Amino acid sequence: MTNYLLFSSTVLIWGTTWIAIALQIGPVPVLVSVFYRFAAAALVLVGALIATRRMKIPPLRQQPFILAQALCLFCCNFLCFYYAAAYVPSGLISVVFSLATIFNAVNARIFFGDRISPRTLFAATLGAIGLVLLFGPDIFVAFNPDSWKGIGLSALGTVFFSLGNMASRRNSAAGISPVTANAWGMSYGALTLLCLVFLTATPVIAPPDLTYLGALLYLSVVGSVIGFTTYLMLVSRIGSQKAAYATVLFPVVALTLSSIYEDYHWTTLGVAGLLLTLAGNVVMFVRLPIRTKTGAAEPSRA
């Protein structure tokens, strides 16, 4: 039950952050917006851990791996996603981000020697076909030159995200809890972004209005502090391949929100795509019975 709760929370939270990211694109430079997000997130998370006396200092030998997680999850990937939002709709970015299932499976094979199971491949295939049906017409019909930039940046951001997953998995195996790794990682990410702001002489512009400020607070507290904690806890419990399948459902949440707030109209292809995506989710998480030596059936732990 805990795994399903973490999974559904991650999907709902991160499925809504793409719209909030789009609301931040404007007069505030991307580099500053991402800095605001993780500086605020770090203050909230570190402050909460200090207040509850749960703040821990990882050993010095573990710090390089926490820094790697910080650069991939709380810096480079979001710079790519925010810049991409200037070229393509947020829903399209979430579609590209759903490729994290594939990147995670490949990277887990490279870094940890994990076997890519037929079940994982089948689930990912169902999800990919569903996404093509959901968003294919928008991607291949309403296409412009800037879309290539947006898709490329989104793909690069997803690569960074996947590498951050590998660093998080390694840190969890070393005994560093996701909450501790996130607190230090977000702090490192914010400091790195601040250094980039000064090195590039990027103008620091204050939040221009309540819409931007509301999006910033949502992204910092809900999207970053809560969302990353639930996701990385899921990675530590069920592995990066299964946890990343949550990313396949993000576009479904974004599409649902679009039908409510942006007057999106469902089509036959859209409904079919949604059903296939959900079917892939069932394939990944359903517990199949396993025959024991005595012939009795017991639930699978896969």
Side-chain angles (χ1 to χ4, degrees):
M1 181 60 69
T2 301
N3 290 346
Y4 288 103
L5 180 61
L6 291 171
F7 182 83
S8 59
S9 298
T10 302
V11 170
L12 290 175
I13 291 171
W14 281 0
T16 56
T17 55
W18 304 101
I19 293 178
I21 288 175
L23 292 175
Q24 288 196 299
I25 302 302
V28 180
V30 165
L31 194 55
V32 176
S33 287
V34 182
F35 164 70
Y36 283 158
R37 173 176 181 171
F38 287 108
L43 287 173
V44 170
L45 185 54
V46 171
L49 291 178
I50 292 176
T52 57
R53 298 182 179 180
R54 296 173 57 199
M55 188 65 184
K56 298 180 180 179
I57 302 177
L60 184 61
R61 67 179 182 278
Q62 305 294 351
Q63 295 294 337
F65 299 100
I66 296 177
L67 178 60
Q69 178 177 330
L71 293 177
C72 291
L73 287 184
F74 310 124
C75 183
C76 297
N77 63 327
F78 278 103
L79 287 176
C80 292
F81 293 139
Y82 275 66
Y83 279 116
Y87 297 105
V88 294
S90 60
L92 179 55
I93 299 174
S94 71
V95 174
V96 179
F97 185 61
S98 68
L99 294 175
T101 52
I102 299 174
F103 289 126
N104 272 8
V106 173
N107 282 329
R109 174 65 179 176
I110 294 172
F111 291 103
F112 300 103
D114 288 3
R115 184 177 67 91
I116 302 178
S117 68
R119 181 176 177 176
T120 299
L121 290 175
F122 182 53
T125 300
L126 287 177
I129 294 174
L131 291 175
V132 169
L133 293 178
L134 275 168
F135 296 98
D138 293 331
I139 296 174
F140 298 110
V141 178
F143 208 74
N144 60 70
D146 284 344
S147 294
W148 288 107
K149 297 179 183 178
I151 292 174
L153 286 167
S154 300
L156 181 59
T158 305
V159 171
F160 279 123
F161 173 81
S162 178
L163 292 174
N165 277 216
M166 300 304 108
S168 174
R169 175 175 169 179
R170 184 265 166 207
N171 291 335
S172 293
I176 303 172
S177 71
V179 174
T180 298
N182 281 355
W184 285 88
M186 289 179 184
S187 300
Y188 287 155
L191 289 174
T192 301
L193 290 162
L194 182 61
C195 290
L196 290 175
V197 168
F198 282 106
L199 288 175
T200 59
T202 301
V204 178
I205 299 176
D209 51 41
L210 290 178
T211 299
Y212 182 98
L213 187 59
L216 174 61
L217 292 175
Y218 182 78
L219 290 169
S220 299
V221 179
V222 181
S224 298
V225 175
I226 299 176
F228 270 103
T229 299
T230 58
Y231 178 76
L232 295 180
M233 286 178 64
L234 198 62
V235 170
S236 67
R237 291 174 65 91
I238 67 174
S240 57
Q241 291 187 39
K242 289 184 177 181
Y245 197 76
T247 64
V248 175
L249 294 182
F250 296 165
V252 176
V253 176
L255 190 59
T256 302
L257 291 176
S258 293
S259 67
I260 297 173
Y261 298 107
E262 298 177 342
D263 198 29
Y264 176 84
H265 298 288
W266 288 91
T267 64
T268 303
L269 284 178
V271 174
L274 176 61
L275 293 176
L276 277 176
T277 304
L278 294 177
N281 186 45
V282 172
V283 169
M284 181 63 79
F285 287 97
V286 69
R287 291 175 178 267
L288 300 176
I290 296 177
R291 291 291 175 182
T292 63
K293 292 181 179 180
T294 60
E298 61 180 16
S300 169
R301 297 181 181 180

